[in-house]
């Protein structure tokens, strides 16, 4: 059995999920709770026989979340190697993932993407592979790919709101469950072309073609 964990460090709150766990780590508690949560997910199972993998949705998002998230993943790898356990790290940015979901007709052509700022979003035109920075005030947005659709009542009790127009991503073992518009689709992680890396680097994605 392989231990696979999906972590989204690109939202306002970091989300960890595996085949049997779903955790939300509030932004203000990352330094305290994220290292322990990651370590526990990878060490509490005694059924692992075929290795460890972590899939990271890496940027754009809050610079703080990306920096701390990458640091914790790299620290986890070092700790696992001290215990003679090898862990593979895979990374993919949100725009690339959303392109793949659009090509599968799972999400609309346009949507607003969270970039870690309260008053700005990226508007993605997936058909044209184009991104535009837009202010929230005085604009009508297309579908929100991400919004405040996650909340946490405590550090151990995570709840999702019922907004169906925000993409919900969570791991189901070696597949990724994609929820949008009231539908859930399972996609093998191997088909999403995550890049295997030795060390995770924050992907801030400050692209030169952004229109301001």
């Amino acid at each position: 059995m392989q231990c696979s964990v999906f972590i989204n460090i690109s939202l306002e709150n970091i989300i960890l999920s595996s085949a049997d766990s779903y955790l939300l780590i509030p932004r203000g508690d990352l330094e305290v709770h994220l290292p322990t949560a990651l370590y526990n997910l990878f060490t509490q199972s005694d059924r692992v026989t075929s290795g460890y993998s972590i899939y990271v949705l890496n940027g754009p998002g809050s610079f703080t979340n990306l920096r701390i998230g990458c640091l914790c993943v790299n620290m986890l790898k070092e700790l696992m190697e001290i215990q003679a356990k090898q862990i593979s790290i895979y990374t993919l940015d949100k725009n690339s993932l959303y392109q793949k979901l659009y090509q599968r007709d799972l999400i609309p052509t346009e949507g607003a993407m969270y970039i870690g700022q309260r008053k700005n979003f990226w508007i993605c035109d997936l058909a044209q592979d184009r991104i535009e920075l837009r202010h929230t005030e005085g604009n009508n947005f297309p579908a929100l790919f991400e919004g405040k659709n996650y909340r946490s009542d405590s550090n151990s009790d995570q709840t999702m709101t019922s907004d169906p127009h925000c993409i919900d991503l969570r791991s189901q073992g070696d597949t990724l469950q994609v929820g949008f518009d009231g539908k859930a689709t399972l996609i093998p992680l191997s088909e999403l072309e995550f890049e295997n890396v030795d060390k995770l680097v924050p992907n801030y994605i400050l692209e030169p073609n952004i229109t301001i």
Side-chain angles (χ1 to χ4, degrees):
M1 176 182 175
Q2 184 176 34
C3 179
S4 295
V5 170
F6 175 78
I7 175 171
N8 189 344
I9 62 175
S10 303
L11 295 176
E12 186 170 358
N13 301 310
I14 286 181
I15 295 172
L16 292 168
S17 62
S18 63
D20 51 8
S21 298
Y22 182 86
L23 301 172
L24 181 148
I25 312 296
R27 182 174 179 175
D29 297 333
L30 295 184
E31 297 95 332
V32 176
H33 297 293
L34 182 57
T36 302
L38 265 175
Y39 185 75
N40 288 342
L41 280 177
F42 278 94
T43 58
Q44 289 184 344
S45 174
D46 57 0
R47 298 174 296 169
V48 178
T49 58
S50 59
Y52 302 81
S53 299
I54 183 165
Y55 293 83
V56 185
L57 197 56
N58 182 10
S62 161
F63 279 23
T64 299
N65 286 15
L66 294 174
R67 184 176 66 253
I68 294 175
C70 289
L71 176 63
C72 290
V73 169
N74 292 330
M75 288 176 57
L76 172 69
K77 182 176 182 180
E78 293 182 8
L79 287 172
M80 296 291 282
E81 289 177 347
I82 291 174
Q83 302 176 36
K85 298 176 181 178
Q86 296 297 317
I87 180 171
S88 299
I89 301 174
Y90 299 89
T91 180
L92 186 68
D93 67 87
K94 287 194 295 189
N95 193 48
S96 296
L97 176 62
Y98 294 168
Q99 278 286 346
K100 299 178 190 304
L101 301 184
Y102 165 70
Q103 292 166 7
R104 292 171 178 257
D105 294 323
L106 298 179
I107 60 176
T109 301
E110 287 191 339
M113 181 192 297
Y114 173 74
I115 59 173
Q117 301 175 4
R118 294 185 180 276
K119 295 186 177 181
N120 299 308
F121 279 84
W122 277 0
I123 303 301
C124 305
D125 183 342
L126 298 174
Q128 300 297 323
D129 195 14
R130 180 174 176 272
I131 298 174
E132 176 185 353
L133 183 64
R134 193 178 300 177
H135 298 286
T136 57
E137 297 178 1
N139 286 284
N140 293 320
F141 278 2
L144 282 171
F145 285 160
E146 304 141 355
K148 293 184 179 298
N149 59 324
Y150 299 101
R151 67 176 186 271
S152 177
D153 299 324
S154 69
N155 290 330
S156 61
D157 181 20
Q158 292 78 35
T159 311
M160 284 192 59
T161 65
S162 58
D163 185 352
H165 300 297
C166 294
I167 300 173
D168 173 38
L169 303 170
R170 60 183 71 199
S171 171
Q172 295 291 334
D174 59 355
T175 64
L176 185 67
Q177 178 178 296
V178 180
F180 189 80
D181 199 20
K183 300 177 182 178
T185 303
L186 293 176
I187 304 175
L189 285 163
S190 59
E191 295 183 6
L192 294 174
E193 300 179 1
F194 280 75
E195 179 185 3
N196 186 205
V197 296
D198 291 327
K199 183 177 182 179
L200 193 62
V201 177
N203 194 351
Y204 300 123
I205 319 182
L206 300 179
E207 298 288 354
N209 65 339
I210 297 175
T211 301
I212 299 178

